């Protein structure tokens, strides 16, 4: 009893912190999945990126520094938000997994003409030419546990959003994906 009495305040504080973390995870999952978002709707790109980062925090926590350079004047984008969230998730997970020990992932957003630009750059291992030519192919993976569908889905969803995805990669130096999507797509 004496032991519990001395620790009860700390235990309650930790329980409150844990409950708040769970609430945030559930809210991020709800926002991320947007099961009701099978139709075109307005999306806040910066918010979508933050939600995606919240869902995948286990992938980079204590290992990868995330640097966000968001354009705070970014317009809302009319798109399939659940598909765009999946694009962000796949590219960000690959970026974090490309970093073997500690490193950096830089995320930038901005406007280029009629397009919203999202850039995700990692300080990982980069890709050899033999891999670069295949990364969007279905079932191609460099990871033993990979399905080879992540970047294929990225290319198909960006195409559905009437956008483009390009990448630059230097072996041993990292990779940068740039996604451009129109400010508004026609359903």
């Amino acid at each position: 009893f004496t032991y519990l009495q001395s620790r009860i305040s700390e235990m309650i504080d930790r329980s409150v912190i844990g409950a708040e973390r769970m609430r945030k995870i559930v809210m991020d999952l709800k926002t991320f999945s947007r099961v009701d978002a099978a139709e075109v709707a307005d999306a806040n790109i910066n918010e979508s990126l933050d939600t995606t980062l919240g869902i995948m925090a286990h992938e980079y926590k204590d290992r990868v520094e995330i640097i966000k350079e968001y354009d705070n004047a970014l317009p809302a984008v009319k798109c399939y938000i659940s598909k765009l969230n999946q694009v962000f998730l796949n590219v960000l997970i690959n970026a974090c997994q490309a970093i073997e020990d500690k490193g950096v992932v830089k995320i930038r957003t901005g406007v280029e003409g009629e397009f919203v630009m999202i850039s995700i750059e990692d300080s990982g291992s980069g890709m050899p030419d033999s891999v670069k030519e295949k990364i969007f192919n279905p079932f191609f993976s460099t990871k033993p546990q990979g399905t080879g569908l992540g970047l294929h889905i990225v290319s198909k969803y960006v195409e559905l959003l009437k956008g483009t995805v390009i990448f630059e990669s230097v072996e041993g130096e990292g990779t940068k994906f740039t996604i451009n999507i129109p400010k508004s797509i026609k359903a």
Side-chain angles (χ1 to χ4, degrees):
F1 179 74
T2 306
Y3 173 75
L4 284 178
Q5 249 184 336
S6 67
R7 302 267 332 259
I8 195 79
S9 291
E10 179 185 346
M11 294 164 84
I12 290 172
D13 289 344
R14 286 185 178 192
S15 294
V16 168
I17 290 168
E20 180 57 29
R21 280 189 196 140
M22 287 176 53
R23 185 191 72 75
K24 180 166 180 1
I25 289 169
V26 169
M27 293 305 292
D28 283 346
L29 283 169
K30 183 179 174 193
T31 301
F32 178 84
S33 64
R34 299 222 181 143
V35 176
D36 60 331
E39 296 181 12
V40 173
D42 284 339
N44 178 320
I45 298 299
N46 296 338
E47 181 182 289
S48 290
L49 285 161
D50 283 342
T51 297
T52 303
L53 288 168
I55 285 176
M56 57 170 281
H58 67 282
E59 195 67 50
Y60 65 86
K61 186 180 177 189
D62 302 326
R63 196 175 64 78
V64 177
E65 178 186 3
I66 304 293
I67 298 173
K68 299 186 274 187
E69 296 177 359
Y70 293 168
D71 179 345
N72 292 324
L74 209 61
V77 174
K78 198 169 271 309
C79 67
Y80 298 99
I81 187 61
S82 62
K83 295 197 180 333
L84 189 60
N85 284 342
Q86 189 65 52
V87 165
F88 295 155
L89 181 67
N90 290 355
V91 174
L92 284 164
I93 283 177
N94 280 358
C96 290
Q97 289 177 348
I99 298 169
E100 291 182 26
D101 188 26
K102 291 189 180 245
V104 174
V105 170
K106 184 186 293 186
I107 307 168
R108 287 182 40 238
T109 60
V111 176
E112 294 182 356
E114 290 301 309
F115 290 86
V116 169
M117 180 277 305
I118 304 99
S119 164
I120 299 171
E121 183 174 4
D122 68 64
S123 64
S125 56
M127 294 179 250
D129 291 338
S130 60
V131 170
K132 290 180 196 178
E133 60 194 36
K134 300 175 191 171
I135 66 164
F136 294 118
N137 291 354
F139 308 111
F140 175 76
S141 180
T142 59
K143 298 173 244 171
Q145 77 281 12
T147 62
L149 291 174
L151 291 177
H152 177 68
I153 288 170
V154 166
S155 70
K156 291 303 176 190
Y157 281 0
V158 170
E159 184 180 311
L160 175 71
L161 296 167
K162 309 290 189 230
T164 60
V165 58
I166 58 171
F167 71 95
E168 305 163 43
S169 185
V170 176
E171 194 170 5
E173 294 183 22
T175 301
K176 177 180 177 181
F177 277 84
T178 303
I179 300 159
N180 290 294
I181 56 171
K183 293 177 188 174
S184 180
I185 67 167
K186 293 184 173 41

